[in-house]
């Protein structure tokens, strides 16, 4: 099924949209119909087998919806979502408050907004497996929060609440299920509790016309019937406490069912879905057998049975005039022939005509689209629109190949093919005999006003806690709608049926075979900087490279750097010519910082000869489990002149979860080598002034446990070993072997980035050499002070700093330093992995001191 077409049709037919604009498609993900039979490769055209078609026919006779609400990617209960979609056969969506932008990445170096893009796609990959749909609010993940009050203050409660109401009004759920407890009776992430609090409030507001009335030009108020909390023993502290708890306000459902048509249990499907959260390391094994899920009623009437929809009509009878449709679909279900699914076509066409004759409604729109796709699937109809170019710019012509084939004896005629957004119409009036391909090469013209396809929530500058999205109808969508589509108009046994397909980039890989990827619309030129932060130490100048990439043929113009006052650059402008699309050219500028310590922003600008000016960079995100992502962002970098000294020169770095600290250390003049765990040996480490373990290194490397003694031996010979934070869960190294002296990690953290810092050992070398550290060095930190501080430690360690969030005791385990033979061991939970890539001057100065231990005079 083509999602963009379906969603737009839902709005247009229900008068939720203004008249159709050829190149601006407004749509809404919560009306997306993601049937399990369509859980195929993300970009390939839909191809269903007979079991999937039969499942879809059964689903067409169910009219019910649910909205599952939580805070982050990975919070959703995939067992329950899969059960609702595949056993109950209802429409179910997961509303995640954020895209997980504030977390970490175990499979690459994407962080912040790019991590949010990756996790968005992982959620969509999960939904393709479990049968749900996906939507979001404009909130972004600003990192761990200790209270819902802090969360709602940073998120802008009113705006996020409006997005939750918007989701309810669009998705029209019969029931809502919260993942978390809105009362906050058990302490958890502030985002978690806040998501439930917003859901409870939105449940009442969504049905009121005086709440967020600006939305009502697109949607109608909607009041769900019930609100549940998906509780479990965890919220009660133990399994025993949960067993003893009063469950009179709960229902339980067994989600461990087995689906013979699919050959899998619900739990196996859910495990496959959850395992798509790969950047968080959440791969899980499938399970089989009974599995209870508990739903605690928060609002609405108590169901009379353990069915959360009990008492709610989920049949066509809920729609005026729908009873005959239910009877017909029941007959189609009974008489379905998996060996010859086209035998159901006449009755399916009759059902489609009956639904189309109903008065406009939410369910008429949804089910018409479902029936059209089921009809196509029963015929083995393959309709595809593809191009052999991965991207184009507004105003260009794009080569398109069209293919349609009917693999059934049903009489079909291809009447029209409409190319969007330009609106060109091809009228083949071509019969489609069984198993004979219809092919046509044509050209799609992209209007100059066609929007780019990069993530819409990253188009405008955003702030801590909130993305900025002005267009109401874009809010909440998981992806930017694709404006390039082809509509196939078919006459099937005399009934007109329209099918839309988004145009995809299509190619053949020598190893992977046939491949489909998103077709992108991009700016004509990009100016990528090779770093996100440039650190100038001791007023030394730097050469800054700008890589200019052509988004089209024949790019002519000039390139210049915009710098803050006081910074100098040579040359002022560089003439540039790129003749071929995709061509890249590197241009170098000589930049001199001011004498004073300073922080500012550098922006490369390309002035094209046609009068346009562009300052955009392009980032490609590619992993096997998601479609490739092309992200266009403002091109800029932070430039920092730091008054900094350093001792030592060569650093060894053992990478854990992805971080950019090696690049940051190179910025201030260190030589940094990445060390493979296999190569750790005390004799080879001797060449380094310090060895740094990356964040979560002991959570990601099984063999590191056996290599740590080599690091301790290196330190005893005069080296410095720096261990950044490790999580308390998932350690591959026993806690008692984690450090050379006893050390116990905890989940203690300081989330307020400007929390006061106290110097516990002001005369210690780490605070004095080669840079004298002051309170000013803790100004301008981002997101947090630190995390996973030690809670207990041996007397050999000296705690250096203390900090704490409001209302909490001082946390002293964030920077512990211990002599080890002739050298040093350091454990630090302060968030260097965020501060150094962000160019925080004081963080660089203190980290340089840590590395310089052992070199003090």
């Amino acid at each position: 099924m083509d999602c963009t077409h379906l969603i737009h049709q839902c709005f247009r037919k229900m008068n939720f949209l203004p008249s159709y604009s050829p190149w601006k498609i407004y749509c809404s993900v919560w009306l997306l119909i993601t049937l399990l039979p369509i859980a195929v490769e993300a970009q390939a055209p839909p191809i269903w087998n007979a079991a999937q078609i039969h499942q879809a026919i059964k689903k067409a006779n169910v009219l019910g919806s649910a909205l599952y609400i939580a805070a982050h990617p990975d919070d959703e209960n995939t067992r329950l979502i899969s059960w609702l979609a595949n056993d109950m056969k209802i429409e179910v969506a997961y509303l995640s408050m954020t895209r997980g932008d504030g977390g970490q990445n175990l499979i690459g170096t994407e962080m912040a907004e790019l991590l949010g893009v990756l996790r968005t796609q992982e959620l969509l990959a999960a939904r393709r497996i479990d049968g749900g749909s996906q939507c979001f609010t404009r909130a972004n993940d600003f990192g761990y929060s200790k209270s819902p009050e802090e969360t709602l203050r940073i998120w802008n409660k009113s705006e996020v609440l409006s997005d939750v109401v918007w989701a309810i009004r669009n998705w029209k759920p019969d029931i809502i299920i919260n993942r978390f407890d809105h009362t906050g009776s058990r302490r958890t992430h502030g985002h978690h509790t806040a998501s439930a609090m917003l859901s409870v409030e939105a449940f009442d507001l969504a049905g009121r016309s005086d709440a967020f009335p600006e939305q009502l030009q697109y949607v109608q108020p909607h009041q769900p019937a019930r609100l549940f909390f998906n509780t479990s023993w965890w919220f009660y502290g133990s399994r025993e406490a949960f067993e003893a708890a009063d469950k009179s306000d709960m229902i339980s459902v067994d989600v461990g069912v087995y689906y013979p048509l699919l050959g899998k249990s619900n739990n196996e499907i859910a495990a496959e879905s959850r395992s798509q959260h790969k950047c968080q390391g959440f791969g899980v094994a499938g399970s089989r057998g009974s599995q209870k899920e508990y739903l605690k009623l928060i609002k609405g009437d108590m169901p009379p049975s353990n069915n959360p929809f009990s008492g709610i009509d989920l049949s066509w009878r809920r729609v005026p005039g729908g009873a005959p449709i239910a009877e017909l679909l029941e007959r189609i279900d009974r008489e379905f022939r998996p060996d010859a699914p086209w035998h159901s076509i006449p009755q399916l066409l009759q059902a489609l005509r009956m639904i189309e004759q109903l008065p406009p409604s939410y369910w008429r729109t949804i089910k018409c689209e479902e029936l059209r796709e089921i009809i196509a699937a029963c015929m083995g109809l393959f309709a595809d629109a593809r191009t052999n170019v991965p991207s184009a710019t507004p105003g260009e012509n794009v080569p398109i190949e069209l293919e349609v084939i009917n693999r059934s004896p049903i009489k079909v005629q291809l009447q029209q093919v409409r190319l969007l957004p330009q609106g060109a119409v091809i009228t083949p009036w071509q019969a489609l005999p069984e198993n004979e391909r219809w092919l046509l090469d044509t050209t799609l013209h992209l209007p100059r006003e066609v929007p780019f396809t990069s993530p819409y929530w990253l188009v405008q500058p955003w702030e801590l806690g909130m993305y900025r999205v002005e267009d109401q109808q874009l809010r909440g969508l998981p992806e930017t709608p694709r404006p390039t589509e082809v509509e196939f108009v078919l006459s099937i046994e005399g009934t007109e049926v329209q099918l839309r397909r988004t145009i995809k980039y299509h190619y053949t890989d020598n190893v992977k075979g046939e491949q489909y990827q998103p077709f992108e619309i991009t700016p004509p030129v990009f100016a990528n900087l090779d770093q996100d932060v440039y650190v100038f130490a001791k007023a030394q100048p730097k050469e800054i490279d700008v890589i200019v990439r052509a988004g089209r043929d024949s790019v002519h113009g000039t390139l210049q750097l915009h710098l803050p006052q006081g910074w100098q650059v040579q040359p002022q402008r560089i003439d540039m010519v790129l003749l071929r699309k995709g061509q890249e050219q590197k241009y170098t500028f000589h930049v001199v910082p001011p004498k004073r310590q300073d922080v500012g922003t550098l922006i490369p600008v390309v002035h094209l000869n046609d009068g346009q000016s562009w300052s955009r960079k392009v980032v490609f995100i590619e992993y096997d489990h998601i479609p490739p992502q092309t992200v266009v962002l403002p091109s800029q970098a932070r430039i920092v002149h730091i008054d900094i000294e350093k001792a030592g020169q060569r650093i060894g770095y053992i990478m854990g979860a992805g971080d950019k600290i090696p690049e940051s250390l190179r910025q201030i003049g260190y030589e940094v080598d990445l060390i493979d765990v296999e190569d750790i040996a005390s004799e080879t480490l001797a060449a380094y002034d310090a060895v740094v373990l990356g964040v979560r290194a002991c959570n990601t490397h099984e063999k590191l446990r056996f290599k740590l003694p080599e690091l301790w031996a290196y330190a005893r010979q005069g080296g410095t070993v720096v261990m950044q934070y490790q999580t308390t869960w998932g350690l591959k190294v026993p806690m008692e072997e984690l450090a050379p002296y006893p050390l116990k990690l905890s989940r203690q953290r300081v989330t307020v980035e400007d929390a006061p810092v106290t110097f516990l050992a002001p005369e210690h070398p780490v605070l004095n050499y080669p840079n004298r550290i002051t309170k000013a060095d803790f100004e301008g930190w981002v997101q947090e002070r630190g995390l996973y501080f030690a809670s207990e430690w041996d007397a050999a360690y000296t705690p250096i700093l203390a900090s704490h969030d409001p209302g909490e005791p001082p946390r002293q385990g964030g920077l512990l330093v211990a002599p080890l033979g002739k050298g040093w061991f350091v454990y630090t939970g302060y968030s260097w992995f965020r501060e150094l890539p962000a160019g925080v001057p004081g963080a660089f100065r203190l980290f340089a001191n840590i590395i310089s231990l052992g070199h003090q005079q």
Side-chain angles (χ1 to χ4, degrees):
M1 181 182 301
D2 189 277
C3 302
T4 303
H5 165 55
L6 172 55
I7 298 167
H8 182 265
Q9 287 293 91
C10 291
F11 275 114
R12 185 156 60 102
K13 291 182 179 180
M14 297 175 70
N15 297 318
F16 288 170
L17 284 180
S19 60
Y20 177 64
S21 170
W23 50 82
K24 187 173 185 182
I25 299 177
Y26 297 99
C27 53
S28 181
V29 73
W30 30 80
L31 289 180
L32 173 63
I33 306 304
T34 308
L35 294 168
L36 181 65
I38 309 167
V40 295
E41 276 302 310
Q43 299 300 319
I47 301 174
W48 302 3
N49 60 39
Q52 292 169 329
I53 296 171
H54 200 181
Q55 287 286 86
I57 291 171
K58 293 177 182 293
K59 183 180 175 69
N61 213 9
V62 179
L63 282 63
S65 63
L67 188 62
Y68 198 91
I69 297 180
H72 312 106
D74 85 2
D75 284 344
E76 80 275 26
N77 184 337
T78 55
R79 291 190 302 266
L80 195 54
I81 288 175
S82 180
W83 179 80
L84 289 166
N86 300 306
D87 194 72
M88 295 291 293
K89 295 180 174 56
I90 65 153
E91 313 297 339
V92 55
Y94 173 41
L95 172 60
S96 178
M97 296 290 156
T98 75
R99 297 174 187 264
D101 334 73
Q104 287 188 245
N105 185 354
L106 297 183
I107 61 174
T109 59
E110 292 86 4
M111 297 292 286
E113 71 278 2
L114 294 179
L115 180 60
V117 173
L118 170 56
R119 290 189 173 181
T120 293
Q121 290 301 316
E122 289 188 334
L123 277 171
L124 289 172
R127 299 294 81 79
R128 285 191 289 271
I129 291 170
D130 61 35
S133 298
Q134 187 61 51
C135 49
F136 297 92
T137 74
R138 286 169 289 167
N140 59 48
D141 181 355
F142 57 85
Y144 191 88
S145 175
K146 292 182 178 179
S147 73
E149 292 77 19
E150 177 196 47
T151 296
L152 294 174
R153 184 176 66 253
I154 295 175
W155 273 356
N156 187 327
K157 177 187 174 182
S158 177
E159 291 187 4
V160 182
L161 179 62
S162 77
D163 290 351
V164 181
V165 169
W166 174 250
I168 295 171
R169 287 171 172 174
N170 278 286
W171 190 254
K172 300 192 181 303
D174 296 300
I175 66 171
I176 295 175
I177 303 173
N178 291 344
R179 184 59 175 133
F180 299 106
D181 180 10
H182 70 285
T183 68
S185 58
R186 182 174 175 85
R187 182 171 178 176
T188 181
H189 197 320
H191 297 182
H192 293 169
T193 305
S195 72
M197 293 169 63
L198 289 165
S199 176
V200 170
E201 191 168 349
F203 180 88
D204 294 326
L205 293 177
R208 289 171 40 184
S209 59
D210 61 339
F212 305 107
E214 69 280 1
Q215 298 178 2
L216 300 184
Q217 59 181 309
Y218 311 111
V219 294
Q220 298 299 317
H222 174 76
Q223 182 58 59
R226 295 173 183 137
L227 173 64
F228 295 102
F229 162 37
N230 183 196
T231 190
S232 70
W233 68 265
W234 187 86
F235 293 96
Y236 288 76
S238 70
R239 296 182 187 276
E240 293 75 18
F242 184 61
E243 287 297 322
D246 176 16
K247 297 183 178 62
S248 60
D249 58 354
M250 298 183 201
I251 63 171
S252 65
V253 295
D254 188 348
V255 300
V257 296
Y258 175 70
Y259 305 122
L261 280 176
L262 305 178
K264 294 179 181 179
S265 72
N266 187 71
N267 290 343
E268 288 171 314
I269 294 171
E272 291 177 20
S273 171
R274 187 159 185 79
S275 295
Q276 298 308 302
H277 296 299
K278 297 184 187 300
C279 75
Q280 301 187 68
F282 279 164
V284 296
S287 63
R288 289 145 291 279
S290 179
Q291 173 75 51
K292 290 291 185 66
E293 290 290 343
Y294 291 86
L295 301 177
K296 179 184 175 73
L297 185 70
I298 305 300
K299 285 180 176 287
D301 61 310
M302 189 69 187
S305 73
N306 278 330
N307 180 341
F309 290 89
S310 182
I312 300 173
D313 190 351
L314 300 183
S315 76
W316 273 101
R317 293 168 181 83
R318 73 185 298 174
V319 175
I325 299 170
E327 295 170 1
L328 177 57
L329 289 172
E330 287 167 4
R331 186 163 66 252
I332 295 170
D333 180 13
R334 289 193 306 270
E335 298 174 358
F336 178 73
R337 287 182 54 182
D339 62 325
W342 54 82
H343 280 285
S344 298
I345 293 291
Q347 291 178 317
L348 286 167
L349 289 170
Q350 181 185 353
L352 176 62
R353 292 191 295 269
M354 292 170 68
I355 297 171
E356 288 177 333
Q357 290 169 8
L358 293 174
S361 72
Y362 172 85
W363 287 113
R364 188 190 79 163
T365 303
I366 297 295
K367 295 302 178 179
C368 278
E369 295 299 334
E370 284 188 29
L371 262 292
R372 292 183 184 114
E373 294 296 338
I374 292 170
I375 290 166
C378 285
M379 297 164 52
L381 186 78
F382 181 90
D384 192 25
R386 50 192 179 250
T387 180
N388 60 5
V389 296
S391 66
T393 62
E396 281 195 274
N397 292 325
V398 181
I400 301 296
E401 182 182 54
L402 305 173
E403 177 182 355
V404 184
I405 183 169
N406 165 33
R407 291 173 284 191
S408 77
I410 297 296
K411 292 182 179 179
V412 184
Q413 185 178 65
L414 178 61
Q415 295 180 334
Q416 286 187 348
V417 181
R418 299 170 184 156
L419 305 182
L420 302 173
Q422 71 179 100
V425 177
I426 302 167
T427 55
W429 291 97
Q430 173 73 47
L432 299 177
E434 182 175 3
N435 216 30
E436 293 185 16
R437 290 197 303 169
W438 177 83
L439 292 170
L440 179 69
D441 291 327
T442 186
T443 300
L444 172 70
H445 175 71
L446 296 179
R448 293 194 177 277
E449 302 87 348
V450 68
F452 302 137
T453 53
S454 186
Y456 69 88
W457 63 95
L458 301 180
V459 170
Q460 299 186 60
W462 60 91
E463 58 190 19
L464 179 68
M466 294 295 296
Y467 286 117
R468 185 178 168 194
V469 181
E470 299 295 341
D471 189 335
Q472 175 69 60
Q473 293 164 303
L474 285 176
R475 292 175 185 174
L477 293 179
E479 302 178 281
T480 300
R482 302 279 160 169
T484 49
E485 293 184 313
V486 171
E487 182 179 68
F488 299 94
V489 182
L490 304 151
S491 175
I492 303 174
E493 298 284 358
T495 297
E496 183 178 296
V497 176
Q498 303 89 28
L499 298 172
R500 282 203 196 185
R501 298 291 181 258
T502 299
I503 296 170
K504 307 284 179 29
Y505 169 47
H506 173 264
Y507 66 99
T508 301
D509 183 91
N510 289 338
V511 176
K512 298 179 180 179
E514 186 176 38
Q515 298 291 300
Y516 285 85
Q517 293 183 7
F519 169 68
E520 306 289 353
I521 301 174
T522 71
V525 66
F526 305 99
N528 278 43
L529 296 161
D530 59 350
Q531 301 288 338
D532 293 326
V533 176
Y534 294 95
V535 180
F536 294 74
K538 301 179 66 174
Q540 294 298 311
K542 277 183 180 286
E543 304 296 309
I544 291 182
D545 294 331
V546 182
I547 296 89
V548 178
R549 178 186 177 94
R552 69 179 187 206
D553 290 342
S554 188
V555 173
H556 298 258
T558 60
L559 173 67
Q560 67 177 136
L561 290 187
H562 289 186
L563 294 162
Q565 187 174 4
W567 293 73
Q568 301 176 32
V569 59
Q570 289 293 334
Q572 295 295 316
R573 285 176 178 260
I574 299 177
D575 292 331
M576 40 154 284
V577 176
L578 290 88
L579 298 178
R580 293 288 178 264
K581 178 179 178 178
Q583 181 181 351
E584 292 185 346
Q585 181 66 48
K586 181 171 70 175
Y587 301 95
T588 302
F589 294 86
H590 183 78
V591 176
V592 181
K595 293 183 179 180
R596 68 184 186 280
Q597 185 163 298
D598 192 34
V599 177
T601 301
L602 175 154
I603 301 175
V605 180
V606 176
H607 302 281
L608 298 180
N609 288 351
D610 63 5
Q612 298 183 79
S613 294
W614 295 94
S615 182
R616 295 288 185 270
K617 67 178 180 180
V618 62
V619 180
F620 301 105
I621 301 176
E622 297 188 53
Y623 294 98
D624 287 342
H625 65 300
I626 64 169
Q629 299 297 298
T630 300
V631 185
V632 178
L633 296 168
S635 186
Q636 60 184 38
R638 186 175 169 95
I639 48 175
V640 184
H641 173 212
I642 301 176
D643 181 13
I644 188 172
E645 302 286 345
K646 63 185 183 65
Q649 182 62 25
R650 193 175 179 195
I651 308 298
Y653 200 91
I654 302 167
M655 191 67 75
D659 67 56
K660 296 184 178 181
I661 289 181
E663 300 169 28
S664 300
L665 295 179
R666 294 184 185 112
Q667 287 271 356
I668 55 174
Y670 283 107
E671 299 174 19
V672 184
D673 296 334
L674 298 183
I675 302 175
D676 191 273
V677 172
E678 297 280 357
D679 299 329
I680 296 174
S682 57
E683 58 271 17
T684 58
L685 299 179
Y688 297 106
D689 296 298
V691 176
V692 181
L693 284 86
V695 297
R696 301 194 186 190
C698 295
N699 298 104
T700 56
H701 298 298
E702 294 276 0
K703 294 184 179 180
L704 193 53
R705 173 183 183 182
F706 308 106
K707 295 291 186 176
L708 288 180
E710 299 286 341
L711 290 169
W712 313 153
Y714 154 76
R716 290 188 179 95
Q717 295 302 313
T720 298
V721 176
V722 182
M723 179 180 285
Q724 297 179 80
Y725 92 85
Q726 313 296 314
T727 65
T728 54
W729 53 270
L731 275 173
K732 310 296 185 184
V733 179
M735 189 76 75
E736 60 271 16
E737 299 177 22
L738 191 64
Y741 307 113
L743 182 72
K744 184 176 181 180
L745 302 185
S746 73
R747 297 178 64 87
Q748 292 178 7
R749 61 177 74 208
V750 181
T751 62
V752 178
E753 59 268 24
D754 57 357
V757 176
T758 301
F759 293 6
L760 302 175
E763 302 306 316
H764 195 283
V766 79
L767 293 178
N768 292 279
Y769 180 83
N771 304 288
R772 183 168 181 80
I773 303 302
T774 70
K775 297 292 180 66
D777 288 302
F778 291 91
E779 297 174 358
W781 282 46
V782 299
Q783 186 158 327
E784 60 198 351
R785 286 292 188 210
L787 61 170
Y788 294 99
F789 286 9
S791 57
E792 299 177 17
W793 52 87
D794 188 86
Y797 296 98
T798 299
I800 303 298
L801 304 171
S803 187
H804 62 92
D805 286 325
E808 295 187 355
R811 308 298 187 187
Q812 299 185 4
L815 180 56
L816 302 175
V817 180
L820 183 58
K822 299 177 182 179
W824 298 86
F825 172 77
V826 178
Y827 176 78
T828 175
Y830 282 87
S831 59
W832 313 107
F833 72 100
R834 298 196 192 280
E835 311 312 321
L836 300 190
V840 177
F844 271 99
R845 286 164 46 84
L846 180 50
F847 202 80
N849 281 15
I850 293 172
I851 291 174
S852 300
L853 281 168
H855 291 273
Q856 65 268 26
Q857 299 174 351

